[in-house]
Amino acid sequence: MHILRFADLVTAGRVRGQRVFIRADLNVPLDASGHITEDTRVRASVPCIRMALDAGAAVMVTSHLGRPTEGQFRPEDSLAPVAARLAELLGRAVPLVANWVDGVAVEAGDVVLLENCRVNKGEKKNDETLARKMAALCDIFVHDAFGTAHRAEASTYGIAQYAKVACAGPLLAAEIDAIGKALADPKRPLVAIVAGAKVSTKLTILQSLAAKVDGLVVGGGIANTFLLAAGLPIGKSLAEADLVHEAKAVIEAMRARGAEVPIPQDVVVAKEFNADAPASVKAAADVAADDLILDIGPETAALLAAKLEAAGTIVWNGPVGVFEFDAFAKGTETIARAIAASSAFSIAGGGDTLAAIAKYGIEKDIGYISTGGGAFLEVLEGKTLPAFEILERRARESNPG
């Protein structure tokens, strides 16, 4: 993917004295008192801001926070807690600027945080007038918010259309590189793990990956629908019987390419869904009518672990069992540790996946951890994200040869 990168502009000396507008993802969770409870996104935004400041730019940063109503600013919509945390991380004042669309005062070497961009009327609909006003604020637009890359909004897409220069920040560039390495030009075998409650929410992902991967591991409620497709009993487990035909089609599409969807050989079941329910390991063919399948069994986990350890590339989206309950977490833990131990390049994304990575302390053993939930899923679906499309177009326009 050919895009202009902010790091390249810095290296070329094209940033000093320029007004740089950074669209970051600072959408952090806040408690009832308005305090940040988890600041990963704020910390992740710092390298791009420092890069711009060190290069001598006049720096403007904005982000959305929560789900404000456009044109109706409320105190709980304010980025004030983020400004305070950024000031701590940068070791300098970070003034918060409201009503900024028609003009921002900032000097070279300084940084300001522009108040919640989703309060601006026309933001979500990518209003052209709003986008042009944003673009007029800067000499260089830097998109560094992969979590919003699947949305064509004024502060993510429109501004990139109309800014003098539009480029990818280090976070977005890293996502593009990791996605390309995992899906565009992967080292084989390429194994994908797709898990979740319902096939319907990830059917297009499964169909897209079925044309690309060498192994497709399904987990959670999705696996139950595939067990039905394989003619196996699932008791009272969560499944979508009306999508069995689609599951069979995925299996057949994989088989036609000489690839496979491994069907669990054994499972962990309980009679009810709670953390204290007694767990039993059963052969997949022996699931009783009143059983709930809550995890893959140890035999299946070991077989999958061997495939993962022999893989060249691994894409991971979703735990394979109810890993929040210790009795039903062994499958996910085995998978997680196999990915960590594999020499394969691995890319992982999705909230539950990140929670599993944190639970087993394997962050440093994953090749790349994606920061965007919805954007990551749309990439797996085979979609071209709006942010990628506009940055590629702008790069072609600036260097048509």
Side-chain angles (χ1 to χ4, degrees), residues 7-322:
D8 293 337
L9 295 178
V10 171
T11 301
R14 294 174 56 186
V15 176
R16 181 164 301 279
Q18 299 295 291
R19 293 170 64 85
V20 172
F21 186 116
I22 300 172
R23 176 54 160 99
D25 183 1
L26 306 171
N27 185 29
V28 291
L30 305 174
D31 63 19
S33 302
H35 297 118
I36 297 172
T37 58
E38 208 285 316
D39 71 346
T40 298
R41 287 175 174 169
V42 182
R43 286 184 284 108
S45 72
V46 167
C48 186
I49 298 169
R50 281 196 199 281
M51 186 184 292
L53 288 170
D54 291 347
V59 185
M60 297 163 275
V61 184
T62 196
S63 171
H64 68 289
L65 179 70
R67 299 178 181 276
T69 301
E70 289 186 5
Q72 298 179 24
F73 180 79
R74 303 170 303 168
E76 57 264 38
D77 298 326
S78 178
L79 287 172
V82 175
R85 182 64 181 128
L86 269 178
E88 292 173 353
L89 292 167
L90 291 168
R92 62 190 299 154
V94 180
L96 181 63
V97 179
N99 303 315
W100 49 269
V101 171
D102 291 313
V104 179
V106 57
E107 300 297 321
D110 289 337
V111 57
V112 295
L113 182 62
L114 309 181
E115 192 57 277
N116 195 331
C117 60
R118 283 210 183 137
V119 174
N120 297 320
K121 282 189 175 180
E123 165 66 15
K124 294 197 76 172
K125 291 186 177 180
N126 190 24
D127 178 75
E128 181 179 341
T129 300
L130 176 61
R132 286 186 180 277
K133 284 186 174 184
M134 289 183 182
L137 297 174
C138 64
D139 301 299
I140 300 170
F141 168 65
V142 184
H143 196 320
D144 205 37
F146 179 67
T148 70
H150 60 313
R151 302 186 187 282
E153 299 179 346
S155 69
T156 62
Y157 190 95
I159 186 174
Q161 274 182 291
Y162 305 119
K164 295 174 188 174
V165 176
C167 61
L171 263 183
L172 187 65
E175 292 275 358
I176 290 170
D177 291 343
I179 289 164
K181 190 173 179 180
L183 294 174
D185 188 25
K187 182 181 177 184
R188 302 281 178 173
L190 167 58
V191 179
I193 302 157
V194 179
K198 296 182 176 181
V199 170
S200 55
T201 60
K202 295 187 178 178
L203 179 60
T204 52
I205 295 171
L206 295 167
Q207 291 168 334
S208 176
L209 291 175
K212 301 172 185 172
V213 302
D214 303 300
L216 181 58
V217 176
V218 291
I222 291 174
N224 296 336
T225 302
F226 276 78
L227 284 165
L228 281 179
L232 291 163
I234 63 166
K236 57 180 182 179
S237 308
L238 175 68
E240 292 173 289
D242 58 325
L243 291 179
V244 166
H245 178 74
E246 281 76 4
K248 286 181 177 178
V250 169
I251 293 170
E252 288 304 318
M254 291 285 287
R255 186 176 293 147
R257 296 175 44 247
E260 64 170 338
V261 181
I263 302 299
Q265 298 184 7
D266 60 342
V267 293
V268 183
V269 301
K271 300 301 182 185
E272 55 188 33
F273 185 87
N274 67 59
D276 301 321
S280 303
V281 177
K282 291 187 175 183
D286 296 335
V287 173
D290 61 346
D291 280 336
L292 280 170
I293 300 172
L294 300 179
D295 195 10
I296 57 173
E299 183 180 339
T300 299
L303 289 169
L304 294 177
K307 293 180 185 297
L308 292 167
E309 287 172 10
T313 307
I314 300 168
V315 177
W316 181 19
N317 175 241
V320 295
V322 187

